[in-house]
Amino acid sequence: MTPMLRPLAIATAICGTLDILFAILLTLWRGREPAAMLRFVASGPFPPATDWGPAGSALGLVVHFTLMGIMIAAFLYAARNYPVLLDQPWISGLAFAAVTYVAMNLVVVPLRFPQAWPPTPLGISTQMFAHAFLVALPTVLVARRFMRI
């Protein structure tokens, strides 16, 4: 396995699972169906997915883990080129969280779903929590474990 493939696979599995479980809990808390939430995720790149039933929900998981893998690959690439990112996991994790939050919630989501703008304070806080503690910090810790010289 290449030096980046193992941490990419492990971090994507961990972070993708933590993040989607958090999204499912938030969905249930709001009285909505997790399957519909997953179809909504799939509808980002595949707009008709909201009408695809279980297949749309499964596609939502694929889309979610794919996006997670892309974000994590970007951090691993940066860490490979700037190993100092692995020396301060809290600082680089919070910076990574901020970058992924901005990319997803202030660029990607508003471009595809303009009605989602502006985000609510609750939305901002839950997304920042997820990006910081369920995605960024585990990514940095996995990268430290597998990429340190």
Side-chain angles (χ1 to χ4, degrees), residues 16-104:
T17 301
L18 290 172
D19 190 56
I20 202 65
L21 288 174
F22 185 62
I24 289 169
L25 288 173
L26 288 175
T27 299
L28 292 170
W29 179 65
R30 293 176 180 139
R32 298 186 181 137
E33 292 289 324
M37 176 270 298
L38 290 169
R39 289 191 298 276
F40 182 76
V41 170
S43 76
F46 305 99
T50 55
D51 299 323
W52 292 351
S57 299
L59 182 59
L61 278 175
V62 171
V63 168
H64 169 74
F65 278 93
T66 300
L67 289 171
M68 189 65 59
I70 291 168
M71 291 187 299
I72 291 167
F75 178 82
L76 296 177
Y77 178 79
R80 184 179 71 185
N81 292 301
Y82 302 99
V84 69
L85 293 173
L86 302 177
D87 294 337
Q88 299 289 329
W90 283 100
I91 294 170
S92 58
L94 290 175
F96 178 48
V99 169
T100 58
Y101 174 84
V102 167
M104 288 302 298

Side-chain angles (χ1 to χ4, degrees), residues 124-148:
I124 293 168
S125 62
T126 57
Q127 287 299 307
M128 281 304 298
F129 169 81
H131 282 266
F133 296 103
L134 306 179
V135 177
L137 189 58
T139 296
V140 175
L141 294 175
V142 168
R144 273 175 61 106
R145 166 68 174 87
F146 290 99
M147 296 177 68
R148 291 199 62 117

